Every structure is written in structure tokens, then in C-alpha cells.
Amino acid sequence: MTERLGSVFIENVQPELDAGRYAIKRVAGETLTVRADIFKEGHDVLVAVARWRQVTPAAQKTDWAEVPLTFKNNDAWEGSIPLANNGRYEYTIEAWPDLFRTWAHELKRKVDAGRDVKSELLEGAALLEGAAARAKGKSAEDHRVLAEAGARLRTPPSPDHLLAALSSELADAASRHPDRTLARRYDKVLEVFVDREKARNAAWYEFFPRSAKRDGKTHGTFKDAQAWLPYVQKLGFDTVYLPPIHPIGRTARKGKNNSLRAEPGDVGSPWAIGAAEGGHKAVHPELGTLADFRAFVDAAKAHGIEVALDLAFQCSPDHPYVKEHPEWFQHRPDGTIKTAENPPKRYEDIVNFDWMGPARDALWKELKSVVLYWVDNGVRTFRVDNPHTKPMQFWHWLIREVQDLHPDVLFLSEAFTRPKVMKALGKVGFTQSYTYFTWRLFKDEIRSYLEEITSPPVSDYFRGNLWPNTPDILPENLQNAGPGAFRLRVALAATLSSVWGMYSGYELCEGRPVPGKEEYLDSEKYQLVAWDWDRPGNISEWIAKLNAVRKAHPALQQYQGLRFFESDNERVLFYGKRSPDGLSTVLVAVSLDPYAPQEALLRVPMEWLGVTAEETYQVHELMADQRSLWQGPDVQVRLTPEQPAAIFAVYRYRRTEHAFDYFE
């Protein structure tokens, strides 16, 4: 952008991600608080605005609008942009000297010092006449007021003239019609992508439709999977995530427990996508038809559940792409196609694309069409498999291309990799991200990690979706563990973040590992599994109660604003959240001990709650449905493996003339 006239400096603009290279994230209905340091030489009075507009989707594109920035202190300014709709917005900052207010300020100082101000009054008249000219055709009233005031200043000065010239009403009228040829505009136009509510607040449940028969022998269908939906709804989940639903390759098909040789009847890994029956735009014949899938999506919607689909951009050697477009794949010097590897692991049943090869444009266009195909068939959420093994440039391009057409589409990044790579995936556009929560077990490491990812600047682009388990990961803390371990980990996941998920079997406390590995024995990735929803020792009711509490209390639906508080027991974590409107406040205490009771003295954050030490307030412990009156900062709690979490909704409590009232 060509530099505007004027000597105003605009620095330290926040939020700004990687010098404006990437968009920050917000949710529809939120506001974007913009901050900047703005200053100019001398003593000019400055005016600053945030300029913003919505640019996608095309049907909702708006003209530039402005909101004022307010001076805070030390040349810092701040203002808020309304983000009403799902889509992409642009914003920048512009500032200029308020010539008339600067003149009025200096005039008063000179008058107070007894100076002759005849010349200054003529300068003021010229300023008002210029403002009047700019007001013409925009505001007849402002034009009249400014012109008359300018004319008065050209007559012999009097105390009344001076008083009128210094009135705030006249300054306001002049400020409404500034000389913006002296303005400076920030040299970048920044972006914010505004997601729908589900990006910030969702509970995911993952299951394999092929196990829907639950006998471990009969391949399930989408019609069978519909029978799971009332169960998932009862547990309180609002997103069902399905692993790949496409035809599965036969070449090098994996057998049970990831064996290299498949026996007759082995179903293989659904991530080995593609066979004679089709590829990424086809449905595995044993699951049913495309019409059956769409019926499943509609049935889920009727239960208040959204379907998330796995997006795995890799192929079986049998995928139609391999024959139709061999130029899309990586080849060895001997001409054979390279299989996927992560030494010492080797995935003989999967081949990778040549992402940056000479056929890149055609390949990328085809993969974009895959996403749009499933969007057209009712999918609005994708869990993306191993995005960290594909170029960042591809994801930045793909996500933008899709969301510019369909801003309601969400992408979850499945990347348990290096921290900076995980964050980079958030920057290039992924809506949510898997996290290291799975391996954070102790008080200090949980606190430091969650503070990092739920606070700016990281939370401006990274939303952590907390999973205590996945089909790929059975962490050591859940291996052969009792229900206490499963309860406390799910309590943490469901309350530390506003988005969380779990893989089916968790509610049954399934924890049998492959010896020495963080993998499930008899993994559902390679075989059908018989699920008994009524297995003794299951924690289904506990999970259902957790999700019900989340839905009832907006504080737990907020991603940012997590605050940790003092507990005198290193095995008890204490934290809280509050909704932006202040009408929902929740405190949470969770035991980190799955085997024994733990007691702790909690130091209640009185100032954060807005209560005094003498004030009585009511708390409702939501998991046990018990109400108490608290007073003062110290509260004793006892947590057990059967009840490892206490979730307190906080209500201030006061005595009126005739009764007691509860209020937030």
C-alpha cells in the first residue's frame, strides 16, 4: 500500500499473526479486540479507528466500516470489532490528528496565559470552514453549526466567542468531518476467520460403523450404525467421528493386531483407502451405499449430532488413482511406488502422493474436489489424518479454498508431533488440533500446558481438542487401569477445554495394551470388535453427567479464560472459567490420583469471583447435585476414585429485607 500522508505512527498492532501472513480465529457472535500503539510528534490530539469488513462468503461481503479506538495509556489504543457472521473478515487501523481539538486545546492554554489570540481565532475559523465544507451534503445540521461558528471567529473576539469555540459540542461536530488527507493507515490488512459455534464448543465420540453389529463377527453397515445414535445422544455427545468409510485395499492388507499377513475374512485398515470399488469419493460396499451414508447423516442430525468424517489423503496400492494418475505418486529409482514409512514402522498397505511434484496442480485440485464432494453430501466437519506429513502450503491453500465457499466447514488436525509444527498447522487454518493433553499427568505440567494453549497469543490460532484416548493411542495411564483413572482423565478433558473427544470403548474402561506399547490389543483399526455397552464397571453415566453439565453451563463452553487457582495438595488441580457475560461461573477441582481418596484445601479466588471475605455465596456441586453456602477464601474438598471431580457453579448470595436472593 502506498504510504498515506501524515506523521502518525501505528505500531504493535494486536492481534497480528506472523506479520499478517495468517488469519487469527474467532467465533461468530464474539468481538475482536484490537490494540495498537499510536502516536505522533508534538502534542496533537489523535483520533484512531479500526476499519473492518467481511469478505467471504461472497454473498455476505460488506463495505468497509469503522469503530473508534479509545486511548488507554502510554500511547496504547483499543477498540472492538463486531463479528456477527461465520466467514472471513479483514481489519486494519487508521489514525489522524484531530486538528480542531488540537487547536482548541492550545487556544485554552494561551488564553489562560493571557496571550493575544486574534491570529489563533482566524486559524480556528479556517479549520471550522474546512470541516463545514466536508460536512456539506452529509449533515445539514453539522454544516450549519460549523459554518456559523467559523463566521463568528472572524468577528472581533469576545468571551462568548471563546466559550463557544471551546465547547465540546462544537469539537464533536468538527471531529465528525475530519481532514483525513493527514491520516496514516497501517501498512497491512489483517485477517480474522470467524468460525461457527461448533468450532469452540463440541464433544466428539469416535466409533467404527463396521463394528456396529457389536458381535465382533458381522460387518456392520450405516443402517446398523444408526442404532448407535440414541446411545451416543444419551452420553451427551454432539459430534460423531467416523474413520474412513471408503473401499479398503487388498494389496498388503494388514491382519489382526497389525500383522503383515491378512487371513481370509480380515477387514484391513480403513486408512488403506482405495480398491477396485473406488477411492476417496466412494463408500465401502460392506457399509452400504452413498444414500445409506446420507441417511445416517440425516438420522444423526435428528438426534442433535453432527457427523465428522476422516480425511486421509493417502492411498492403497489398489486405489484407482494409482493406475489413472501414476504421476501423482512418489516412485523409487527402480520405478516402484514408495510405501509410507515412519521408521521403524512401515505401512506396506499405503502409498503417498508426490505433493510438490510436477503434477502438483492437478493433484491438489482433485483433492480439493474430494472435500467438496463430501461437503455436498452433508459433511461439515473433517478430522484430518496426519496433516504434519503433508506440505503446509497445501493445507493453507485447501482450507482457504474450501472455507471461502463453505465457511461453516471445520477441520481437526490429527498431528501428535513437534510443538511448533502443531502450532503451524493451526496458523495455516486448522480449526482445532489434537494436543499433548493425553500425556500430561501431573499438576504443574497440566497447568503450564493448558495455560499456554488457552491464552493469547497461542489461543488466537490454536484450539486444543482434548482426547484421553484414540484408536491409535492407549496411553500408559489408562493401561489396565481401574475406572478411577478413566473418570479423572475424562473430567479433565471435558472441563479444561471447551472441545474434547474420546474413542468408543473409553466408557467401558477398555485398557488392554499390546505389551510394551501405547496401542490397543486387538485394535479395532484392523478387526471388528464386540462392544458390550452394559459391561460391568462402565462409566457411561459419569460421562453423560459431565456432558450434561457442560451443556447447562456456558462457562464450560468457553475456550479462552481458563484460570488456575491454589490447592494445597499436589494431587488436586483447581481451576475455573467464566462466560463473557459474567452470568455463568464455574470452579472445578479434580483429583489426579486414580486409586486413593485425596483431600485438599482450595483457595477460592475471591477477587475473581467478585465477592468479599464477609459475603456469603452459594455453590452448586453439579456432579453430586449438592448445594452449599461458602464464605471466605478457604474450602476443604474430598475427592475419591468414584467421584474424582467436583464442579461448582457459583452463585453470589445476599440477604434482603425479607428473604435471601441468589444472583450472579
Side-chain angles (χ1 to χ4, degrees), residues 63-91:
D63 294 330
W64 285 100
E66 295 179 349
V67 293
L69 300 185
T70 302
F71 176 79
K72 307 302 288 186
N73 55 62
N74 195 25
D75 294 322
W77 295 68
E78 182 179 296
S80 295
I81 296 172
L83 304 172
N85 303 313
N86 176 205
R88 191 176 304 277
Y89 287 68
E90 293 179 339
Y91 63 100

Side-chain angles (χ1 to χ4, degrees), residues 280-281 309 311 313 365-377 379-380 382 384 394-395 398-399 402-403 406 409-411:
H280 283 77
K281 296 177 184 176
L309 194 61
L311 190 65
F313 280 152
K365 183 178 179 181
E366 172 62 16
L367 297 181
K368 171 186 167 183
S369 78
V370 169
V371 178
L372 295 179
Y373 177 84
W374 292 107
V375 169
D376 289 343
N377 281 284
V379 178
R380 287 298 185 274
F382 295 90
V384 180
F394 169 73
W395 296 120
L398 175 74
I399 294 172
V402 172
Q403 290 184 333
H406 303 282
V409 173
L410 311 178
F411 294 88

Side-chain angles (χ1 to χ4, degrees), residues 103 106-124 153 155-158 162:
W103 170 85
E106 293 181 352
L107 178 69
K108 184 177 186 307
R109 293 173 63 193
K110 291 178 180 180
V111 170
D112 291 344
R115 297 268 298 275
D116 180 1
V117 294
K118 291 181 181 178
S119 177
E120 283 79 1
L121 293 177
L122 294 177
E123 292 173 4
L153 291 185
T155 64
S158 70
L162 291 175

Side-chain angles (χ1 to χ4, degrees), residues 265-524:
D266 281 347
V267 291
S269 167
W271 283 272
I273 296 171
E277 298 86 354
H280 283 77
K281 296 177 184 176
V283 170
H284 193 299
E286 291 189 77
L287 290 173
T289 65
L290 179 61
D292 294 333
F293 172 74
R294 296 190 65 148
F296 176 80
V297 171
D298 291 341
K301 185 176 181 180
H303 285 84
I305 297 170
E306 183 168 327
V307 174
L309 194 61
D310 197 287
L311 190 65
F313 280 152
Q314 59 205 27
C315 297
S316 145
D318 304 325
H319 197 295
Y321 287 159
V322 175
K323 288 184 178 179
E324 296 169 2
H325 296 282
E327 71 279 10
W328 288 356
F329 295 89
Q330 294 178 334
H331 291 76
R332 297 185 181 89
D334 64 4
T336 59
I337 294 181
K338 293 183 68 173
T339 57
E341 295 186 21
N342 182 17
K345 295 180 180 179
R346 183 177 179 185
Y347 303 94
E348 297 87 346
D349 57 340
I350 294 172
V351 295
N352 284 331
F353 292 117
D354 185 3
W355 290 96
M356 305 301 287
R360 148 184 162 163
D361 289 348
L363 170 63
W364 288 22
K365 183 178 179 181
E366 172 62 16
L367 297 181
K368 171 186 167 183
S369 78
V370 169
V371 178
L372 295 179
Y373 177 84
W374 292 107
V375 169
D376 289 343
N377 281 284
V379 178
R380 287 298 185 274
T381 301
F382 295 90
R383 178 271 197 187
V384 180
D385 188 65
N386 285 329
H388 58 292
T389 62
K390 288 83 177 173
M392 294 287 180
Q393 301 97 308
F394 169 73
W395 296 120
H396 190 207
W397 171 83
L398 175 74
I399 294 172
R400 188 181 188 99
E401 288 280 309
V402 172
Q403 290 184 333
D404 281 354
L405 295 172
H406 303 282
D408 58 338
V409 173
L410 311 178
F411 294 88
L412 169 62
S413 165
E414 187 259 350
F416 297 104
T417 183
R418 303 184 305 282
K420 291 180 181 178
V421 175
M422 293 171 69
K423 291 175 182 176
L425 289 164
K427 291 178 181 180
V428 301
F430 278 93
T431 314
Q432 301 170 4
S433 305
Y434 283 76
T435 71
Y436 294 138
F437 163 78
T438 313
W439 299 276
R440 296 297 186 262
L441 307 179
F442 301 106
K443 186 174 180 176
D444 287 346
E445 63 182 7
I446 294 173
R447 175 171 181 165
S448 62
Y449 183 59
L450 266 296
E451 283 179 335
E452 176 192 3
I453 66 173
T454 62
S455 302
V458 176
S459 61
D460 282 333
Y461 60 86
F462 183 98
R463 293 193 190 99
N465 191 330
L466 306 189
W467 289 66
N469 76 326
T470 76
D472 298 299
I473 302 168
L474 174 61
E476 188 176 359
N477 64 87
L478 297 179
Q479 294 184 9
N480 298 311
F486 286 83
R487 286 193 187 95
L488 78 86
R489 292 301 294 177
V490 77
L492 290 169
T495 57
L496 284 168
S497 178
S498 56
V499 282
W500 80 284
M502 69 180 208
Y503 159 53
S504 60
Y506 187 96
E507 69 271 35
L508 308 180
C509 302
E510 176 60 44
R512 296 176 301 120
V514 174
K517 297 183 178 181
E518 286 192 327
E519 297 180 17
Y520 281 94
L521 185 64
D522 300 327
S523 171
E524 194 170 9

Side-chain angles (χ1 to χ4, degrees), residues 233-254:
Q233 182 184 35
K234 183 179 178 181
L235 288 177
F237 292 96
D238 52 44
T239 302
V240 161
Y241 155 46
L242 306 183
I245 61 171
H246 317 296
I248 298 172
R250 295 172 178 82
T251 298
R253 175 177 287 193
K254 296 294 184 70

